[in-house]
Amino acid sequence: MDETDVEQVTLALLDAANDKDSEVQEQVRKSMLTLGKQQPDRVLAMCQDYLLKHPKLVVSHRVVILQTIEMIVSCKIEEVSFPRIKSIISLASDEMTRSKEVIPDWQQAASNIMVAVGNKHINDIMEEILSKFQPGVLPHFFVVQTLANLSDSNVYGMVPFLNAILGTMLPMLSMAKQDNMKWVFSSALCHFSDSILEYLANLDKAPDPTVRKDTFSSEICAAFDILFNNWLQSRESKLRLTVAEAVGSMCHLMASDKLEEQIPKLIPSILSLYKKNNEHYIISKSLCQVLDASVNMGSRVLETQLDSLLFTLHQQVSAPVDYSNPPTVKNHNEVLRCFSLLANSFPDRLVIFVLQKLENSNERNRIGSLAVLRHLINSTTSTMESKKLLILASIRQPMADHSNKVKKRVVQIISAMAHHGYLELEGGELLVRFIVQHCALPDTYQRGQRPTDPEEVTNESLRTMCDNTLHLLTTTVGRLADVLWPKLLYYLTPVQYSNATTPLCKSLIVLGSKKKTNKEPSFNIDFTQEVNLPSPQTLMIRLLMNAAFPFNSRDHGAPSLSLLQILSINIHPKTEVIWEKEIPPLLSILEESTAESLDKKHWDETMLKLLSNTLVTIDDDKWVCQLAAEATRYLSTYNNALEEKSFLYRYIGVTLQQCFNKEVVKKQLQEVLLTARHIDAIEREGVAMGVGLCANSHLEGTLAKLEEFGKSDAFKKSPSIFNLLKERNEVEVEKVKSTLILCYGHVALNAPPEKILNRIDQDILSSISKHFNTKVLGIKIETKDLTMKLSLIQSVGLIAKAIRECVKKQGYVFSRKQELITIMLDFIKAEPADSLRTPLRHLVMSTCAHLMPLDPALSETEIFDLLKVCVSSVFYLPPETHTPEKTKDEDTLDPKQRQALYKDTLAALQELLKSILAKEPTPDGLQSVFKHIESCLSSAQDHERERAVTGTAHILAFYLENLTVKNMVSFHNLGAMLGRLSPRCSDPHPAVRTAAIDCIYTLLYIQLRYEGFSLDYKDEGVDSLLSLKERLENPDHSVLYKTCSDLTKVMSKRLPQQQLSTLVFMLFEGLIDSQANCCRASSVILNTLLKNRGGGLQELVPEILEVLHVRLQSITEEQVRVAVGQTVLILASQHLQAVINTLVNQPLPFDSWTSEMWMALGADPLVAKQIIEMVIEKLVIMAPYVDKKESIIRGGTTKVATNQPLAMTCGLKELLLNGQSHEPAVSLFPQLFSCLTVRLGATVGVSAPKDNNTKHAVSVHVAGVAADALRILLARAQLDELHYSQGRWPNMLVPGCPPLVECLCPSLNNIYECQRITVTAFFSELLNHHVVTELMLIDVLMNNMMERISDPSCSVRMLAVRGLGNIAVGSPEKVNKYAKELLAAMSSGMEERDDPGKLITLEAMSGLSKVLLHLDKKNVHLLVVYIFMKIKPFLESEIDEIRCASIHLMGNLSKFGSGEPVFKDQIHNVLVSLLLHLVDPNPHVVKACNLHYGEFINDLTKYLIQDFPGMLNFYHISVMQFFKSNWPEVRAGAAMFIGFLLGNLQEEHLSHLNMGTISKGLVMLLQDPDPVVRVKAAEAMGHFH
């Protein structure tokens, strides 16, 4: 590339470097840097020349160019020639110092060049700079700044010069009067000092290892005097800070005696700066350097400054640290370093100072003091050794602080103290307690909430910190083991430490395991000697209680069990073996469980069994009695955790079982009953269960204690002043009675079976009756207290359960059974029907279920009433998600409670139904239960259907399990139950679907059992139903219906014939089910049944059709209507004639259900073919219409369609709509197509016949019906796809063409225009396909088309011209054969005058375009100019299609005139017009051209260079013509094109381009008014290299 071109482009970029648009500026820099990297010397020279030639250039422009020079020098310094370096140095120096005024941007840019060059050429730089740094003359600001920056960037290069520089600089300092000069000298001195210190610290790497600190001392001291004595007092804060920073750095280089002399003045001066400046980091850094230098040299005067130092530093360390603001963090760390330095020299004074400050209760001061103390403990260990006890005593005050921020610091200090031996000392246990207390903190926020203050220390974060600290103390500080073990055990039992249980247990497990493994004597705990430790019994009960609720208090269950196992021999020597066996499996269960997945009921039983087994193993009555006493005393611990307290009662009950001292048992029972809070339901339940468990070993004593307690003062209503508290006392008495009633129930349940039956009436029921405040037998219950009711119900249920267990071994008649059931039902009837707020229903039904098996049996009426009340009270409840309105006396249940209540209530109802069915396990017994459920099966409410079907599934499963067939009995319910349940297999509710399958599976197995099959017999078909359940989980309709069909096949095999009709008519009811899915399922099941068993229902066919007709009036579901049509088809396949006769005679127009039935008939190819043949035969021989006079007055006739052919056409149309009619339609295609085409021609303009009833014409479009039928036929034969088949006729239809043409040809001469149009259009389209040549039909069709050219109808003529044009597509090889006829026909078409819409003209031009593609030149040569002249007027036509067709035609014609001068003239005539039409106002064209333009142009230029190198000159000249386009997008695109062309061009192709012209063009575009153009021009220039 010519150098001048690069220069021209570079020059243009330099001119544009200060463009007002920032994007252009950025692109110019990028392009300059790109060129500079390729040719650094040349571009640097141009930048330099540009600056020299434009001395008055605006500053911002100079800055950009100087920055460009710096970037090129920085990355290409090695490749820049030395002469260029020298001139760059000279230029930068001149630019930097030309103006005596400080102009930062300009001079800084020049300075940066000097620094960049100085990294490689320090001597040359220094030569230039020192020439402007002369003694006695105040230098330029940026000369000093450059020296400072050089000392940073090139330490080893600069330090050797510094002595001389300092010598020159010192006299200048007193000459500096302006603050900015003072600032730059101070900054330079700071940088120089830092560089010297770095040099001295790395002498091994330095070029001159002989350099020493004292080399610079005198100069530094002299400079220090000026800076400290004069400049530090400046009013300008920026200067003060820089001077302070410099002073700090200079201290290390000062002579010791000089520094010692300055300290008394220096430190107060630096400390005073804190008040004068907001930025403290620099001051703290400087102070730290001064203190470091002072301490290092062993300053004696430093102590005199100590008080002021400590005071000020403490203020600084107490300032809040903003961790998002680095300077505040740095300042904090520097201040702590200052404290460390002072601590090494003055430990006593410093510690006393900090500890005194701790007494200040101000949060900020305290946090600061704690930060210092922690830093000192960690960083000055040896110094602090003698201060440990003092520190321990002083830390107590901040430990009592209420602020979490302070506590956080305290925890950090405790952690530090632990690692340095403080916790073993006296008072260390208080620190441990502090950590444990804060492990037990409650949450500050509920789950999901976040603190609003980001600085806030939440309880959660403090607690986590303490957890981690306790763990670290246990695991990393070995000497603490004897401090923590066993003392940490103390914290396990007090309730205030509950939340700390998990970390405590984990620490104790680590400590205990280690001691036990190492067999350390200290592992064995002497509980009598250890102060404050809980007893082994209390410890065991606490840990077992934790284990019973394993996911409470931060998942304390597993750690508690693990600790129990570790402690085993310390609890009791005999526990080790049993716990090693039983505890690990429990831990495995917890590891695999979550709070939600754990089976709590089973876990409770497991924990009770663990306690029981443990006590049996211990076998020490005294120890067990003490456990019982301590457990009872421990009850109050759980007053705020009633679930746990309730379970502790059960632990006490199990303990009392193993306690053989009757007085102790009696005393503990008395204590339990007396201290219990009877007002709470959970606690009442716990007390009753505990008392019941005790009765297992002590029945007599327990009953005696209950009776005694029932007579005690607890039941006497204490009088109160003016009886104000009477109501409350009555309530409390009712609750105590409720507890006792419940106790009797649990006593009955848990007592030994052999002892309980003779106690039921005389002791238990009579006591319950007495406490219920009325006799149970025969007297209406007056009490309204819900608690009493629930306790009575529950207790009766428990008694019934106990009796049922006992009667397995001995007979018993429970005479009060019916009385009790009546009372129970009265309770349910009194409940509100629209809500479920209490467990009353669930308890009543559980109790009735327990009572049912007992003798005497209930009568049929009694069972009916029981079922009616219970089923309706549960099934019709609102869904569990429904929230009932809150009443005055009751609280609304939360969703979890309500869910549990519903679950329990439904389960209780199922148990009751099973217990009733168990009394009469027969078909009649099953029906007596099912009839109460049946009505809910088709409920509109999802929850009611789910309850009904699930309930049915349960009772059927129970029925099958308990079925014993002694005689061959008919299961007469099967058909009716299957009819009710099978549609539910497609219910929209998934749970209903699954349960319905279970029902049917069970019903069919019940039928098999009744047929005599054995209990273990497995039927493959019925078992296959279980695999259908997975498919039912898929809500896709097709999957559901296929499943229903498979289900029906299984049912039909097993269904006895006599039950078939019952099932069919039940399914008809299912067609109008409340759920659309079930309607569809009913139809699927019905059709599958009819297919398999329909042959046996001949006599029911008329009735079935009649019912279907009625049902269809109510069916709104389209799919169900279609399925009913299928039902008709199934019947037709079995009884064809009767069905067809009925359908043909339906009144016109066909209503929707008749149409659907006709369409359904097309689904069976055999049936469809028979019907099609019949219709063709009838339509050929029957008159299509009759002429009728319009009126006597006006005269004239109207064509009216005949009835039967019209009905058949209508039916045929509907039949063909069915996709399955494809096969018969194709096989009869030629005949059917010809028939329908002629029918269509004959019905245009024909009126519909009149209705015999109304005398009005029926609303049927006669011709429309035929056209629809024809269109549908074409679709069935796949001829509607011809438009997309690229001119190839489907092979399957080829044989049908000759008969088709043969049938249709006579109609071309028909008198009806519409028939001629129809057939001509068909033939015209036929000519579009090569099949006509293959079948030798071309001559026939060509002759017919030529004849139609002169048809009187415009439409026929237009279609004939189209057909002739289509020859070029369908049979191109025949075009030259008919060239003369075709050209003549097309020419006359273009000249057509009787052509209002220019349709014939358009067809002629389009046809000629197609024909020209295949004509030989000899056939067209003479006509080219003639046709061109005919086309030209159409180019400017207002009709889009005409313009488009004329351009296409011109393009196709061009090949016949290429090279002909005459033709070229014609081209020139139309070129402008063609170019204009390239921007034709067509939105689709614009959209189609919307490319990724940049990528496209880049790729295009690569291909142009590769494939057409010789054309590059033409291309680039053509493109550059657009540099002057009116549109900025085009100008930018042209610049982009040139840029990519240059970027992709190899060196050898450069000769093809006129680079000079390109350069000028791009330079012009770089001055374009549009910034987008300038950016693209600058980008293109970057490729000039």
Side-chain angles (χ1 to χ4, degrees), residues 643-661:
E643 291 283 353
E644 286 95 322
K645 190 175 184 183
S646 176
F647 194 77
L648 182 50
Y649 283 117
R650 294 168 74 182
Y651 270 157
I652 292 167
V654 169
T655 306
L656 291 174
Q657 279 181 9
Q658 303 300 326
C659 190
F660 302 111
N661 185 324

Side-chain angles (χ1 to χ4, degrees), residues 479 481 512 520 554 710 713 726 856 945 955 986 1048 1062 1226 1239 1249 1337 1408 1430 1487:
R479 58 178 175 269
E520 294 179 27
R554 305 199 282 150
D713 291 345
K726 181 181 176 185
R945 295 197 310 281
I955 61 167
S986 191
T1048 313
T1062 313
V1226 170
R1239 169 77 189 166
L1337 294 171
L1408 186 53
K1430 276 185 177 294
K1487 188 177 177 184

